[in-house]
Amino acid sequence: MDLHLEDFRREYTQGGLERDDLADNPLEQFDRWMQQTITSGIPDPNAMTIATVDASGQPSQRIVLLKHLDAKGFVFYTNLNSRKAQELKQNPKISLHFPWYLLERQVKVCGVAEQLSATEVIKYFVSRPRDSQLGAWASQQSRPISSRAILMQQFESMKNKFAKGEIPVPDFWGGFRVKPHQIEFWQGGAARLHDRFQYNLQENGVWEIQRLEP
């Protein structure tokens, strides 16, 4: 097998990043970049890779959607029996990655995940489309299943079960807020001389900013 992957290369020329361009708070800077990403029209601007680690030290990654951002951190939702949720219960350290390739940008977040309150979970769950609510009930996320047909049978079963009235929040469904202590902003540069700035949270609550070599 030879895909000649070494032949795929291009220059990154959309623009640089300077210290004066950055907000003092990385969550404010992230909000700026997210707004620009949304405006650009690229698909799934809130898609992010999240990395967790199991009890043996094996990292695992998957793509989920960022559903909320505030001064306290980054929020996503999941089945609490899923692999990622179980790994976070054992080790709450987590990394997020936003791959905005079309803008020649990426953002990496390192932090600690805390489970959301029931109030926050209910508020979001009732805002979801009905089929998404049913899907949460139908799937035992991360569990082996022999065919898609069985999954669809489970979905139809939940559809019939909750045919009338509102769909309750499953007791196995919830979410996490990632409280960051390190955030890196990466902007592609010509000749692979990319611009990288890393924010590190200090004990006094102030964010320190440093440029990293590419």
Side-chain angles (χ1 to χ4, degrees):
M1 182 183 296
D2 190 354
L3 301 176
H4 300 287
L5 297 178
E6 67 276 11
D7 294 335
F8 288 90
R9 57 173 58 89
R10 66 185 178 90
E11 286 292 334
Y12 298 95
T13 58
Q14 290 196 32
L17 186 63
E18 297 294 338
R19 172 62 183 87
D20 291 342
D21 300 329
L22 300 172
D24 291 335
N25 187 299
L27 293 173
E28 180 182 340
Q29 180 63 34
F30 182 87
D31 183 73
R32 290 180 187 175
W33 271 24
M34 176 60 82
Q35 293 292 343
Q36 292 169 9
T37 304
I38 293 170
T39 301
S40 76
I42 69 172
D44 300 318
N46 60 328
M48 60 182 181
T49 300
I50 68 171
T52 56
V53 179
D54 68 14
S56 72
Q58 173 62 54
S60 180
Q61 297 178 317
R62 72 288 285 164
I63 295 175
V64 302
L65 298 178
L66 176 68
K67 286 300 182 179
H68 182 67
L69 173 70
D70 57 31
K72 294 182 288 186
F74 302 78
V75 172
F76 67 92
Y77 295 87
T78 185
N79 185 312
L80 296 178
N81 294 323
S82 66
R83 179 183 300 158
K84 57 182 169 295
Q86 292 301 307
E87 290 178 352
L88 287 172
K89 288 179 182 179
Q90 298 175 14
N91 181 354
K93 293 181 179 179
I94 188 172
S95 180
L96 316 177
H97 179 252
F98 295 84
W100 295 326
Y101 303 122
L102 294 181
L103 300 180
E104 299 177 358
R105 289 177 173 177
Q106 55 183 316
V107 179
K108 183 186 73 173
V109 179
C110 291
V112 174
E114 296 181 351
Q115 195 167 323
L116 297 176
S117 68
T119 300
E120 291 175 290
V121 170
I122 293 171
K123 181 179 179 181
Y124 175 71
F125 188 83
V126 299
S127 75
R128 303 181 89 197
R130 190 174 181 85
D131 280 356
S132 294
Q133 294 178 354
L134 291 170
W137 277 99
S139 172
Q140 298 184 55
Q141 197 173 93
S142 301
R143 303 283 181 85
I145 191 169
S146 59
S147 70
R148 182 172 180 81
I150 293 177
L151 178 64
M152 297 311 297
Q153 289 175 10
Q154 293 172 180
F155 181 80
E156 289 301 320
S157 176
M158 292 298 106
K159 196 172 184 178
N160 293 331
K161 180 177 180 179
F162 299 116
K164 298 180 180 180
E166 296 181 356
I167 301 172
V169 181
D171 59 5
F172 53 80
W173 195 87
F176 292 89
R177 173 176 284 104
V178 177
K179 300 180 70 173
H181 57 75
Q182 184 183 88
I183 302 181
E184 179 185 328
F185 295 85
W186 182 101
Q187 177 75 60
R192 296 299 186 268
L193 300 178
H194 313 303
D195 290 309
R196 299 173 59 190
F197 285 93
Q198 182 174 274
Y199 291 74
N200 290 289
L201 185 61
Q202 307 302 298
E203 290 185 1
N204 61 2
V206 174
W207 289 93
E208 179 185 79
I209 306 173
Q210 56 185 179
R211 177 186 276 272
L212 303 179
E213 294 195 40

Coordinates of all heavy atoms in Angstrom, one line a residue, residues 101-150:
Y101 N -9.6 23.6 9.8 CA -8.6 23.5 8.7 C -8.8 24.5 7.6 O -7.8 25.1 7.1 CB -8.6 22.1 8.1 CG -8.3 21.0 9.1 CD1 -9.3 20.0 9.2 CD2 -7.2 21.0 9.8 CE1 -9.0 19.0 10.1 CE2 -7.0 20.0 10.8 CZ -7.9 19.0 10.9 OH -7.7 18.0 11.8
L102 N -10.0 24.8 7.2 CA -10.3 25.7 6.1 C -9.9 27.1 6.4 O -9.7 27.9 5.5 CB -11.8 25.6 5.7 CG -12.2 24.3 5.1 CD1 -13.7 24.3 4.7 CD2 -11.4 23.9 3.9
L103 N -9.8 27.4 7.7 CA -9.3 28.8 8.1 C -7.9 28.7 8.5 O -7.3 29.7 9.0 CB -10.2 29.3 9.3 CG -11.7 29.4 9.0 CD1 -12.4 29.9 10.3 CD2 -11.9 30.4 7.8
E104 N -7.2 27.5 8.3 CA -5.8 27.3 8.7 C -5.6 27.7 10.2 O -4.7 28.3 10.6 CB -4.9 28.2 7.9 CG -5.0 27.8 6.4 CD -4.1 28.6 5.5 OE1 -3.5 29.6 5.9 OE2 -4.1 28.3 4.2
R105 N -6.6 27.2 11.0 CA -6.6 27.4 12.5 C -6.9 26.2 13.2 O -7.6 25.3 12.7 CB -7.6 28.5 12.8 CG -7.3 29.9 12.4 CD -8.4 30.8 12.8 NE -8.1 32.2 12.5 CZ -8.9 33.3 12.7 NH1 -10.1 33.1 13.2 NH2 -8.5 34.5 12.5
Q106 N -6.4 26.1 14.4 CA -6.8 25.1 15.3 C -6.7 25.6 16.8 O -5.9 26.5 17.0 CB -6.1 23.8 15.2 CG -4.6 23.9 15.2 CD -3.8 22.6 15.0 OE1 -4.2 21.5 15.5 NE2 -2.8 22.6 14.2
V107 N -7.5 25.0 17.6 CA -7.5 25.4 19.1 C -7.4 24.1 19.9 O -8.2 23.2 19.6 CB -8.7 26.2 19.5 CG1 -8.7 26.6 21.0 CG2 -8.8 27.5 18.6
K108 N -6.5 24.1 20.9 CA -6.4 23.0 21.8 C -6.7 23.4 23.2 O -6.2 24.5 23.6 CB -5.0 22.3 21.7 CG -4.9 21.1 22.6 CD -3.4 20.6 22.7 CE -2.6 21.5 23.5 NZ -1.2 21.0 23.7
V109 N -7.6 22.7 23.9 CA -8.0 23.0 25.3 C -7.6 21.9 26.2 O -7.9 20.7 25.9 CB -9.5 23.3 25.3 CG1 -9.9 23.6 26.8 CG2 -9.9 24.4 24.4
C110 N -6.9 22.1 27.3 CA -6.7 21.1 28.3 C -7.4 21.6 29.6 O -7.3 22.8 30.0 CB -5.2 21.0 28.6 SG -4.3 20.2 27.2
G111 N -8.1 20.7 30.2 CA -8.8 21.0 31.4 C -9.3 19.9 32.2 O -8.9 18.7 32.0
V112 N -10.3 20.1 33.1 CA -10.9 19.1 33.9 C -12.4 19.2 33.6 O -13.0 20.2 33.6 CB -10.6 19.4 35.4 CG1 -11.4 18.4 36.3 CG2 -9.1 19.2 35.7
A113 N -13.0 18.0 33.5 CA -14.5 17.9 33.2 C -15.2 17.7 34.5 O -14.9 16.8 35.3 CB -14.7 16.7 32.2
E114 N -16.3 18.4 34.6 CA -17.2 18.3 35.8 C -18.6 18.0 35.2 O -19.1 18.7 34.3 CB -17.2 19.6 36.6 CG -15.9 19.9 37.2 CD -15.9 21.2 38.1 OE1 -17.0 21.9 38.0 OE2 -15.0 21.5 38.8
Q115 N -19.3 17.1 35.9 CA -20.6 16.7 35.4 C -21.6 17.9 35.7 O -21.5 18.6 36.7 CB -21.1 15.5 36.1 CG -22.3 14.8 35.5 CD -22.6 13.4 36.0 OE1 -21.6 12.7 36.3 NE2 -23.8 13.1 36.1
L116 N -22.5 18.1 34.7 CA -23.5 19.2 34.8 C -24.6 18.9 35.8 O -24.8 17.7 36.1 CB -24.1 19.4 33.4 CG -23.2 19.9 32.3 CD1 -24.0 20.0 31.0 CD2 -22.6 21.2 32.6
S117 N -25.2 19.9 36.3 CA -26.3 19.8 37.2 C -27.5 19.2 36.5 O -27.7 19.4 35.3 CB -26.7 21.1 37.9 OG -27.2 22.0 36.9
A118 N -28.5 18.6 37.2 CA -29.7 18.1 36.6 C -30.5 19.2 35.9 O -31.1 19.0 34.9 CB -30.6 17.4 37.7
T119 N -30.5 20.4 36.5 CA -31.2 21.6 35.9 C -30.7 21.9 34.6 O -31.4 22.1 33.6 CB -31.1 22.8 36.9 OG1 -31.6 22.5 38.1 CG2 -31.8 24.0 36.3
E120 N -29.3 21.9 34.4 CA -28.7 22.3 33.1 C -29.0 21.2 32.1 O -29.3 21.5 30.9 CB -27.2 22.4 33.3 CG -26.8 23.6 34.1 CD -25.3 23.6 34.3 OE1 -24.8 22.8 35.1 OE2 -24.6 24.5 33.7
V121 N -29.0 19.9 32.5 CA -29.3 18.8 31.6 C -30.7 18.8 31.1 O -31.0 18.7 29.9 CB -28.9 17.5 32.3 CG1 -29.4 16.3 31.5 CG2 -27.5 17.4 32.6
I122 N -31.6 19.0 32.0 CA -33.1 19.1 31.7 C -33.3 20.2 30.7 O -34.0 20.1 29.7 CB -33.9 19.2 32.9 CG1 -33.9 17.9 33.8 CG2 -35.4 19.5 32.5 CD1 -34.5 18.1 35.1
K123 N -32.8 21.4 31.0 CA -33.0 22.6 30.1 C -32.5 22.3 28.7 O -33.2 22.7 27.7 CB -32.2 23.8 30.7 CG -32.4 25.0 29.9 CD -31.7 26.2 30.5 CE -31.9 27.5 29.7 NZ -31.1 28.6 30.3
Y124 N -31.4 21.6 28.5 CA -30.9 21.4 27.2 C -31.7 20.2 26.6 O -32.1 20.3 25.4 CB -29.4 21.0 27.2 CG -29.0 20.6 25.8 CD1 -28.9 21.5 24.8 CD2 -28.7 19.2 25.5 CE1 -28.5 21.1 23.5 CE2 -28.3 18.8 24.3 CZ -28.2 19.8 23.3 OH -27.8 19.4 22.0
F125 N -32.0 19.2 27.3 CA -32.7 18.0 26.7 C -34.0 18.4 26.1 O -34.4 17.9 25.0 CB -32.9 16.9 27.8 CG -33.4 15.6 27.2 CD1 -32.6 14.7 26.7 CD2 -34.8 15.3 27.3 CE1 -33.0 13.5 26.1 CE2 -35.3 14.1 26.8 CZ -34.4 13.2 26.2
V126 N -34.8 19.2 26.8 CA -36.1 19.6 26.3 C -36.0 20.5 25.1 O -37.0 20.6 24.3 CB -37.0 20.3 27.4 CG1 -37.2 19.3 28.6 CG2 -36.4 21.6 27.9
S127 N -34.9 21.1 24.8 CA -34.7 21.9 23.6 C -34.3 21.1 22.4 O -34.4 21.6 21.3 CB -33.6 23.0 23.9 OG -32.3 22.4 23.8
R128 N -34.0 19.8 22.6 CA -33.6 19.0 21.4 C -34.8 18.6 20.6 O -35.9 18.5 21.1 CB -32.9 17.7 21.9 CG -31.7 17.9 22.8 CD -31.1 16.6 23.2 NE -30.1 16.1 22.3 CZ -29.7 14.8 22.2 NH1 -30.2 13.9 23.0 NH2 -28.8 14.5 21.3
P129 N -34.6 18.3 19.3 CA -35.7 17.8 18.5 C -36.2 16.4 19.1 O -35.4 15.7 19.7 CB -35.0 17.5 17.1 CG -33.9 18.5 17.1 CD -33.4 18.5 18.5
R130 N -37.4 16.1 18.9 CA -38.0 14.9 19.5 C -37.3 13.7 19.1 O -37.0 12.8 19.9 CB -39.5 14.8 19.0 CG -40.3 13.7 19.8 CD -41.8 13.8 19.5 NE -42.5 12.7 20.2 CZ -42.9 12.9 21.5 NH1 -42.7 14.0 22.1 NH2 -43.6 11.9 22.1
D131 N -36.9 13.5 17.8 CA -36.1 12.3 17.4 C -34.8 12.2 18.1 O -34.3 11.1 18.4 CB -35.9 12.3 15.9 CG -37.2 11.9 15.1 OD1 -38.2 11.5 15.8 OD2 -37.1 11.9 13.9
S132 N -34.1 13.3 18.4 CA -32.9 13.3 19.1 C -33.1 12.8 20.6 O -32.3 12.1 21.2 CB -32.2 14.7 19.1 OG -31.8 15.0 17.8
Q133 N -34.2 13.3 21.1 CA -34.6 12.8 22.5 C -34.8 11.3 22.5 O -34.4 10.6 23.4 CB -35.9 13.5 23.0 CG -35.7 15.0 23.2 CD -37.0 15.7 23.6 OE1 -38.1 15.1 23.6 NE2 -36.9 17.0 23.9
L134 N -35.5 10.8 21.5 CA -35.8 9.4 21.4 C -34.5 8.6 21.1 O -34.3 7.5 21.7 CB -36.8 9.1 20.2 CG -38.2 9.6 20.4 CD1 -39.0 9.4 19.1 CD2 -38.9 8.8 21.5
G135 N -33.6 9.2 20.4 CA -32.3 8.5 20.1 C -31.5 8.4 21.4 O -30.8 7.4 21.5
A136 N -31.6 9.3 22.3 CA -30.9 9.2 23.6 C -31.4 8.0 24.4 O -30.6 7.3 25.0 CB -31.1 10.5 24.4
W137 N -32.7 7.7 24.3 CA -33.3 6.6 24.9 C -33.0 5.2 24.2 O -32.8 4.2 24.8 CB -34.8 6.7 25.0 CG -35.3 7.5 26.2 CD1 -35.7 8.8 26.1 CD2 -35.5 7.1 27.5 NE1 -36.1 9.2 27.4 CE2 -36.0 8.2 28.2 CE3 -35.3 5.9 28.2 CZ2 -36.3 8.1 29.6 CZ3 -35.6 5.8 29.5 CH2 -36.0 6.9 30.2
A138 N -32.9 5.3 22.9 CA -32.8 4.1 22.1 C -31.4 3.5 22.1 O -31.2 2.3 22.0 CB -33.2 4.4 20.6
S139 N -30.3 4.3 22.3 CA -28.9 3.9 22.2 C -28.3 3.7 23.5 O -28.3 4.6 24.4 CB -28.1 4.9 21.4 OG -26.8 4.5 21.4
Q140 N -27.7 2.5 23.7 CA -26.8 2.3 24.9 C -25.4 2.6 24.4 O -24.7 1.6 24.1 CB -27.0 0.8 25.4 CG -28.4 0.5 25.9 CD -28.5 -0.9 26.5 OE1 -27.7 -1.3 27.4 NE2 -29.4 -1.7 25.9
Q141 N -25.1 3.8 24.4 CA -23.9 4.3 23.7 C -22.6 3.5 24.1 O -22.4 3.3 25.3 CB -23.7 5.8 24.0 CG -22.8 6.5 23.1 CD -22.8 8.0 23.3 OE1 -22.0 8.5 24.1 NE2 -23.7 8.7 22.7
S142 N -21.8 3.2 23.1 CA -20.6 2.5 23.2 C -20.7 1.0 23.5 O -19.7 0.3 23.5 CB -19.7 3.1 24.3 OG -19.4 4.4 24.1
R143 N -21.9 0.5 23.6 CA -22.1 -1.0 23.8 C -22.1 -1.7 22.5 O -22.6 -1.1 21.5 CB -23.5 -1.2 24.5 CG -23.6 -0.6 25.9 CD -22.8 -1.3 26.9 NE -23.0 -0.6 28.2 CZ -24.0 -0.8 29.1 NH1 -25.0 -1.7 28.7 NH2 -24.1 -0.2 30.2
P144 N -21.6 -2.9 22.4 CA -21.7 -3.6 21.1 C -23.1 -3.9 20.7 O -24.0 -4.2 21.5 CB -20.9 -5.0 21.4 CG -20.1 -4.6 22.6 CD -20.9 -3.6 23.4
I145 N -23.3 -3.9 19.4 CA -24.7 -4.3 18.8 C -24.4 -5.0 17.5 O -23.5 -4.7 16.8 CB -25.5 -3.0 18.6 CG1 -27.0 -3.4 18.3 CG2 -25.0 -2.1 17.6 CD1 -27.9 -2.2 18.4
S146 N -25.3 -6.0 17.2 CA -25.0 -6.9 16.1 C -25.4 -6.3 14.7 O -24.9 -6.7 13.7 CB -25.7 -8.2 16.3 OG -27.1 -8.0 16.4
S147 N -26.4 -5.3 14.7 CA -26.8 -4.8 13.5 C -27.5 -3.4 13.7 O -28.0 -3.1 14.8 CB -27.7 -5.7 12.7 OG -29.0 -5.8 13.4
R148 N -27.6 -2.7 12.6 CA -28.3 -1.4 12.6 C -29.8 -1.7 12.8 O -30.5 -0.9 13.3 CB -28.0 -0.6 11.4 CG -28.7 0.8 11.4 CD -28.3 1.7 10.3 NE -29.0 3.0 10.3 CZ -28.7 4.0 11.1 NH1 -27.6 3.9 11.9 NH2 -29.4 5.1 11.2
A149 N -30.2 -2.8 12.2 CA -31.7 -3.1 12.3 C -32.1 -3.2 13.7 O -33.2 -2.8 14.1 CB -31.9 -4.5 11.6
I150 N -31.3 -3.8 14.6 CA -31.7 -3.9 16.0 C -31.7 -2.5 16.6 O -32.6 -2.2 17.4 CB -30.7 -4.7 16.8 CG1 -30.8 -6.2 16.3 CG2 -30.9 -4.6 18.3 CD1 -29.8 -7.1 16.9

